[in-house]
Amino acid sequence: MSDPLALLPLAMAAAGGRLGAFAAAPLTAAGLTLLQRSAPLVRALAGRRSALLLPSGPAFLVALAASDGRGALLLDEQASPETIAWQLADAEVGAVFTLEALMPLLPDGLPVVLLDDAPRRARVITPARTMDVDLGSHHGLALEGDPETEGRDEECIVCYSASGVRSARTHRELLAAGRSAVAELRLTSEDHLLSLLSWGDPEALAVCLAAPLLAGARVSFLTPGGEIDIATAIAQHDVSMLAGRWHTASGVRVTAARVAQGVPALRDGLLYRDER
């Protein structure tokens, strides 16, 4: 039997980290429970990819776990409905995990899973029926395996460039990138990382989500809408690290910096935020 920790969401859950107000393990368990309790969703995903049209947050990990190791297409909520429809068709997506407010961006007729109330419940909408799935009474998630496994050499996430070129990252590649970030940033289980970026691109996913969870650390994220006072967020949430896009000697890249006395230590240069 293959090592369960060879799948990115299970490896992140096994390390004991937290995502927002939730432990990572129950969020992953909720995603697996969703598959167990929704036969229509299982049928929709059979032989096809999933898609995630979600902001950063707990629902993202639920959806990644419910993708069950298959390639998950990361959709940009700033894209046009026409672009999203083309990507869904080109990537052969069977179902989309999203929020009710984002449904107008999706084409009609495609199975949709609404995760507004995750990890307590989900709503699965297919052309044939709509069903609510209770995710809050699942059993605990027991994970045993090699925490240093290299990971499966199979698609984990899929994305499109601005020019429309599709690319994929495997579980192996994302685990390696996450572990590399853990080592470079010296992340420990005592850290609390505030992510300033959406997890909709592979670099941000590896550094801002996978790395802290693989280290058993806590991850917080900026909620969409309105201006965010980073210093206030740091003070309120006892943040030890900021992760975003930084100007470095080798160019702009996704990385993180330690926070000292409420101010980011700009050892890597000037932090800037995406305005997408």
Side-chain angles (χ1 to χ4, degrees):
M1 176 180 288
S2 64
D3 192 330
L5 302 192
L7 297 178
L8 178 67
L10 298 186
M12 292 191 293
R18 298 186 64 83
L19 176 51
F22 301 95
L27 294 174
T28 300
L32 300 178
T33 298
L34 175 56
L35 285 176
Q36 293 169 354
R37 296 183 176 178
S38 178
L41 175 59
V42 173
R43 288 194 292 269
L45 289 174
R48 301 177 72 84
R49 295 184 176 95
S50 67
L52 278 61
L53 181 60
L54 291 165
S56 301
F60 191 97
L61 187 53
V62 173
L64 200 60
S67 297
D68 200 28
R70 62 175 46 81
L73 171 63
L74 303 182
L75 294 169
D76 183 356
E77 59 191 271
Q78 300 300 318
S80 68
E82 293 77 16
T83 296
I84 289 174
W86 179 84
Q87 291 180 359
L88 290 169
D90 184 70
E92 299 181 331
V93 166
V96 182
F97 297 93
T98 190
L99 304 179
E100 186 172 7
L102 299 176
M103 277 192 67
L105 295 174
L106 298 173
D108 294 334
L110 190 66
V112 171
V113 181
L114 298 181
L115 295 175
D116 296 76
D117 296 323
R120 293 182 297 275
R121 66 182 63 87
R123 173 163 291 182
V124 180
I125 303 172
T126 67
R129 63 179 295 194
T130 296
M131 65 180 294
D132 290 328
V133 182
D134 177 19
L135 306 178
S137 58
H138 52 72
H139 298 290
L141 184 66
L143 291 170
E144 294 183 1
D146 179 6
E148 300 301 322
T149 180
E150 292 185 350
R152 289 192 191 177
D153 205 13
E154 300 168 7
E155 282 186 357
C156 178
I157 59 99
V158 176
C159 56
Y160 284 85
S161 68
S163 61
V165 177
R166 187 174 75 213
S167 61
R169 298 292 178 88
T170 66
H171 294 271
R172 179 192 297 261
E173 290 170 334
L174 288 171
L175 282 170
R179 288 169 181 153
S180 176
V182 170
E184 178 183 349
L185 302 173
R186 298 182 181 179
L187 278 165
T188 74
S189 60
E190 300 300 315
D191 278 310
H192 179 186
L193 182 146
L194 176 62
S195 170
L196 305 181
L197 299 176
S198 164
W199 303 331
D201 75 76
E203 298 289 337
L205 178 61
V207 174
C208 303
L209 178 64
L213 290 185
L214 289 171
R218 180 181 172 195
V219 185
S220 293
F221 44 89
L222 297 181
T223 54
E227 289 299 319
I228 304 297
D229 184 338
I230 303 300
T232 299
I234 292 170
Q236 290 177 341
H237 300 292
D238 191 27
V239 170
S240 63
M241 301 194 77
L242 289 178
R245 298 191 191 276
W246 297 73
H247 293 282
T248 72
S250 59
V252 178
R253 67 187 186 94
V254 177
T255 185
R258 291 277 170 191
V259 171
Q261 298 179 346
V263 179
L266 301 180
R267 64 184 181 192
D268 291 326
L270 177 66
L271 173 70
Y272 80 97
R273 289 177 52 199
D274 284 342
E275 298 294 340
R276 293 190 299 168

